[in-house]
């Protein structure tokens, strides 16, 4: 019983990181196709967010907070999977730099087998 819940948790956990890997792959395609406009837009975003951090600009939308409160939490294997999703989503900022490095290295290789050898 506990093993099945652990597998459901890991399935939910894995979905987040598989989605991040797919997102990195998609981002690499966009960056190689539209590199210069993406750099310009990214630089403008950094400038605007820097001005926001300094208090020069104010965007009320960035002060909003959203929370989800579930009264009827999913039980069983679905609940374990949802907890795995939430755990991975909450853990991603803590291990993001390591994951980014691993995904970057993986994106440079032609196949999964070439990562190991």
């Amino acid at each position: 019983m506990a093993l099945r819940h652990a597998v459901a948790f890991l399935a939910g956990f894995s979905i987040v990181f598989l989605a991040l890997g797919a997102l990195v792959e998609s981002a690499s395609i966009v960056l190689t196709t539209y590199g210069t406009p993406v750099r310009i837009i990214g630089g403008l975003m950094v400038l605007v967010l820097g001005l926001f951090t300094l208090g020069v600009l104010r965007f009320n939308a960035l002060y909003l907070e959203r929370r989800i409160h579930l009264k009827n939490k999913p039980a069983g294997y679905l609940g374990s999977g949802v907890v795995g999703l939430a755990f991975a989503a909450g853990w991603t900022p803590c291990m993001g730099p390591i994951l980014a490095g691993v995904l970057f290295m993986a994106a440079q290789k032609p196949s999964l087998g070439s990562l190991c050898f």
Side-chain angles (χ1 to χ4, degrees), residues 73-116:
K73 296 174 181 66
Y77 301 122
L78 176 63
S80 297
V82 170
V83 170
L85 284 168
F87 186 79
W91 194 39
T92 299
C94 301
M95 52 86 58
I98 301 298
L99 180 63
V102 169
L103 290 174
F104 179 75
M105 286 177 53
Q108 303 301 312
K109 302 293 182 180
S111 68
L112 182 62
S114 64
L115 281 174
C116 301

Side-chain angles (χ1 to χ4, degrees), residues 49-63:
L49 290 175
L51 292 173
F52 172 77
T53 302
L54 289 172
V56 175
L57 298 176
R58 182 172 172 88
F59 299 110
N60 289 331
L62 295 178
Y63 290 107

Side-chain angles (χ1 to χ4, degrees), residues 1-16 70 72-89:
M1 181 86 155
L3 180 61
R4 290 181 185 164
H5 283 284
V7 169
F9 177 87
L10 288 175
F13 191 85
S14 298
I15 288 170
V16 171
L70 298 176
N72 297 326
K73 296 174 181 66
Y77 301 122
L78 176 63
S80 297
V82 170
V83 170
L85 284 168
F87 186 79

Side-chain angles (χ1 to χ4, degrees), residues 36-77:
T36 302
V38 169
R39 277 196 306 270
I40 292 170
I41 293 169
L44 289 172
M45 287 176 61
V46 168
L47 180 67
V48 168
L49 290 175
L51 292 173
F52 172 77
T53 302
L54 289 172
V56 175
L57 298 176
R58 182 172 172 88
F59 299 110
N60 289 331
L62 295 178
Y63 290 107
L64 296 176
E65 179 180 326
R66 300 279 186 245
R67 292 185 183 194
I68 298 173
H69 297 285
L70 298 176
K71 291 184 181 185
N72 297 326
K73 296 174 181 66
Y77 301 122

